[in-house]
Amino acid sequence: MRSDLPYARPGQVIGLLGGSFDPAHEGHVHITKMALKRFGLDRVWWLVSPGNPLKTRGPAPMGKRLAHARQIMQHPKVRVTDLEARTGTRYTAATLDAIKGLYPGVTFVWLMGADNLAQFHLWQDWKDIMETTPVGVIARPGTRGAARNSVAAQSFAHARLPARASRLLGRCGAPCWCFINVPMSDASSTDIRARGGWARG
């Protein structure tokens, strides 16, 4: 583990936005800024993953994705990282355990778009994630209904924090999750690749 890990001090609340970022785009930037504001976060770290276990085809090389993400996401409270590659973890639950071990006293909030909540029950150890980590869910175009009716949302209905109290998410202890509606961007990595705007090579 190199010494240039992102800095965080005990007591801070850090949002984690994971993904392949293949490529990062304006939609990622938008939900990051919304999460900072609405969930009362001190910082957000992007976790650029080595690869998505739910996808059969690998992403562009890590270095290319990191460089592009850092070009797209420029904000004093946001850090683009390769923490998942450094911890050697492939699944979110294991990544969260590893990061929490590196930063005692820091509260981490897992951030995701509503499209991910709709299929969250397919993730490895998803219930453990919900039980141990506050989760902030940001609306995405066309996914509100599927997210609200998802297995995860129904299973943890008792732990849902009202959107009007969203700034308390990182301070109310897990299990706790919050769904917020925000002005939406329809930017999509899949669409960008389909239009030829991003080469994986």
Side-chain angles (χ1 to χ4, degrees), residues 7-200:
Y7 173 76
R9 65 178 183 273
Q12 284 190 314
V13 180
I14 308 290
L16 300 175
L17 183 67
S20 57
F21 297 97
D22 188 33
H25 53 70
E26 186 275 333
H28 295 127
V29 173
H30 176 68
I31 66 171
T32 298
K33 290 179 177 178
M34 290 294 100
L36 273 167
K37 178 180 178 181
R38 295 288 301 279
F39 295 131
L41 305 172
D42 295 304
R43 298 282 188 276
V44 170
W45 296 350
W46 283 14
L47 307 183
V48 181
S49 66
N52 184 340
L54 295 180
K55 295 182 179 178
T56 55
R57 187 180 177 193
M62 172 69 89
K64 178 178 181 177
R65 289 181 289 126
L66 279 169
H68 181 72
R70 286 169 178 153
Q71 184 179 23
I72 291 289
M73 184 72 256
Q74 297 189 21
H75 189 286
K77 292 187 175 182
V78 182
R79 177 85 178 262
V80 176
T81 81
D82 60 352
L83 269 174
E84 194 168 32
R86 294 203 214 178
T87 58
T89 52
R90 191 175 180 208
Y91 293 96
T92 299
T95 298
L96 286 169
D97 286 344
I99 292 175
K100 290 173 186 176
L102 291 170
Y103 295 93
V106 176
T107 297
F108 290 100
V109 172
W110 184 254
L111 303 172
M112 67 170 78
D115 50 336
N116 278 321
L117 183 66
Q119 47 96 56
F120 192 49
H121 60 284
L122 301 177
W123 293 26
Q124 187 176 73
D125 298 325
W126 68 275
K127 288 186 178 179
D128 288 342
I129 296 171
M130 293 290 285
E131 292 283 1
T132 61
T133 308
V135 175
V137 183
I138 302 102
R140 289 279 291 153
T143 60
R144 290 176 180 170
R148 288 177 174 145
N149 296 316
S150 66
V151 173
Q154 297 299 318
S155 299
F156 284 87
H158 62 283
R160 183 173 177 180
L161 182 71
R164 64 181 179 276
S166 60
R167 292 184 64 84
L168 301 176
L169 179 62
R171 294 168 174 84
C172 63
C176 185
W177 66 282
C178 185
F179 184 105
I180 58 169
N181 286 306
V182 299
M184 287 187 276
S185 164
D186 60 2
S188 157
S189 296
T190 301
D191 290 345
I192 292 170
R193 292 195 303 270
R195 293 196 307 267
W198 177 255
R200 279 175 157 160

